[in-house]
Amino acid sequence: MKHIKLVKKFCSISFIFFGIIATFNSCKKEDNSNPVFPKDIQNNQNKNVSTFETTANYPKGQMVLGRKMENPYELKVMQQAFDNIQLENGKISGEKLHETHLYIKFIPDNDLELNQLRADTSLILYPYPLDYEIKSKGYSYRDPDVPANKPGFQYCAVNAKKDLPKKIKYVVLAKLFIPEDGGEQFVKIANGKFSGANMSNSLENEAFKLTNNLAELKKHSKNGRTASYTPAGRIVFNDDTKGLIGIQGLQVRARRWFTTHRGYCEINGNFTCNGTFSNDCDWSLNWENMLFNIVDPSGTSLQLSRGPNTSSNWNIEIADFLGIYFSELFRPAFRYYFLDIQELRRPLVGNPLEIRAMFNINTGTDARFFPLTIFGTISQVKVWLPNSSSSYRYGTVIHEL
């Protein structure tokens, strides 16, 4: 009898202990820089949405990748390009370039590890490799080599000096030299003719030539001259109550190979990214941030990618079922985490909350919250509302949060 009491007491203490650990983990704030959401822009709206690109005819399902391209930014390619340029100009310095970035494939073992990666806002993660053509648009991608019970691979380019997670498996796919970020090395190796932007353009041209990618170098021009541009545009969708509205807080990415600039939509849907390009770029929408993620039924993060590359503003109306469903789950979550909620209590801040957009109807409930547990599962809200109205989806997500 005494033995049984001791066992019960130990179980009770263990439960309390692990409960405290779980609560601590869910309340712990990540040491990350917060995204800067833009103020509302009243005078920069393109109201003529009839000119907008529409997603109504986008291919359904996963994106399809094309061929693997030769990487012009790989360190050894850039070194060869640099040597060629020097040889053409009669000067061989023997200087060696050093990697500015690493091209990484993360291999998270479970959802907790995946969310640890997502919580680091300095990592711009993609569920697909960055050195492949995008053959067909889509909302998600899952590498066929990923086991069914594991999260998908995550690809990104990181600064070569960044400390990488020690407990999450990763593979360095390539050492990169990105000329725009090689400033200190340019100062060291510059000769009279090649320095700064001049050297950067020359290196890129030669590296793209060496890797048969010259067709990718589509320079943006203004008044007949090559010029840089800031990716910008407007993203809207048709709410069945309010009509055409923006998706406040939605992340827009403009990517060219391994360099990504990000922007966030304000209330009207306008966005401006945080950097410039001089060549065409690819675009994608991302329904996640450091506090919550909208994912599909399998837990795959959602990114609507657009191709082919362009330097034009990206003005689109999300008009397909998936895009509208994801956006109508994103809007209430963004409001509850970031905007005025009339002194209501916000959700606990820890690893990002996962909101799963389920495609089937659950006769038992429209949505359900699954909290963080001592067994390592992440906090999660599942929503079974594929056929519901905008306002009902909005209210349901607010209720669960």
Side-chain angles (χ1 to χ4, degrees), residues 211-362:
T211 53
N212 299 311
N213 285 303
L214 278 178
E216 290 281 315
L217 285 178
K218 298 176 182 177
K219 296 290 186 182
H220 176 73
S221 62
K222 184 176 183 180
N223 299 324
R225 302 181 63 181
T226 299
S228 61
Y229 67 96
T230 302
R234 188 179 178 212
I235 314 296
V236 297
F237 82 99
N238 192 18
D239 180 284
D240 58 24
T241 302
K242 297 185 175 182
L244 283 173
I245 58 174
I247 309 165
Q248 189 172 11
L250 184 67
Q251 183 185 139
V252 186
R253 295 177 175 183
R255 178 178 69 87
R256 185 168 175 272
W257 283 87
F258 303 102
T259 299
T260 298
H261 300 314
R262 291 179 286 190
Y264 296 89
C265 294
E266 44 80 88
I267 194 169
N268 298 304
N270 298 291
F271 71 91
T272 301
C273 291
N274 61 349
T276 64
F277 290 118
S278 58
N279 292 278
D280 289 358
C281 66
D282 188 21
W283 297 89
S284 62
L285 300 180
N286 189 275
W287 281 265
E288 67 178 47
N289 56 50
M290 77 282 196
L291 296 184
F292 67 89
N293 307 307
I294 311 297
V295 299
D296 71 8
S298 71
T300 303
S301 61
L302 301 166
Q303 294 189 17
L304 171 61
S305 291
R306 177 192 186 276
N309 293 357
T310 181
S311 59
S312 301
N313 278 11
W314 196 24
N315 298 313
I316 68 166
E317 178 188 351
I318 296 175
D320 63 293
F321 162 74
L322 291 178
I324 292 174
Y325 191 11
F326 302 152
S327 299
E328 289 183 342
L329 301 184
F330 182 93
R331 286 184 64 244
F334 181 81
R335 177 180 178 180
Y336 212 82
Y337 274 103
F338 293 102
L339 304 180
D340 181 16
I341 54 173
Q342 303 294 316
E343 299 183 356
L344 294 175
R345 188 176 66 181
R346 297 190 191 279
L348 296 174
V349 177
N351 286 323
L353 173 72
E354 185 178 273
I355 302 176
R356 291 201 181 197
M358 309 302 290
F359 297 155
N360 61 310
I361 296 175
N362 186 346

Side-chain angles (χ1 to χ4, degrees), residues 18 29 42 46 49 60 78 90 92-93 113 142 145-146 170 176 189 193 195 216 308 324 356 367 369 390 401:
F18 285 115
K29 292 186 177 181
Q42 303 297 337
N46 182 348
V49 294
K60 305 300 186 290
M78 279 290 174
I92 303 295
S93 66
E113 290 189 356
R142 185 175 177 84
D145 293 332
V146 177
Y170 64 86
L176 307 175
I189 65 181
K193 186 174 180 180
S195 60
E216 290 281 315
I324 292 174
R356 291 201 181 197
F369 174 68
S390 302
L401 294 179

Side-chain angles (χ1 to χ4, degrees), residues 67-124:
R67 67 182 178 90
K68 186 179 188 300
M69 299 180 289
E70 283 195 72
N71 181 358
Y73 293 98
E74 193 166 1
L75 179 61
K76 63 182 181 181
V77 174
M78 279 290 174
Q79 182 67 58
Q80 183 62 57
F82 176 63
D83 292 343
N84 290 353
I85 291 171
Q86 289 195 104
L87 187 61
E88 289 173 5
N89 290 271
K91 179 179 179 181
I92 303 295
S93 66
E95 290 288 350
K96 297 298 180 183
L97 302 180
H98 303 285
E99 65 268 23
T100 60
H101 293 75
L102 299 175
Y103 177 29
I104 299 287
K105 178 172 79 171
F106 286 106
I107 309 173
D109 187 57
N110 52 52
D111 288 337
L112 278 177
E113 290 189 356
L114 176 59
N115 268 12
Q116 288 173 28
L117 293 174
R118 287 172 173 168
D120 184 347
T121 56
S122 69
L123 297 175
I124 305 179

Side-chain angles (χ1 to χ4, degrees), residues 2 4 7 36 81-82 92 126 139 169 190 202 207 214 251 271 279 314 327 361 363 381 383 386 392:
K2 186 176 180 181
I4 293 174
V7 170
V36 178
F82 176 63
I92 303 295
Y126 290 89
Y139 277 98
K169 186 178 178 181
S202 299
L214 278 178
Q251 183 185 139
F271 71 91
N279 292 278
W314 196 24
S327 299
I361 296 175
T363 56
V381 172
V383 181
Y392 192 78

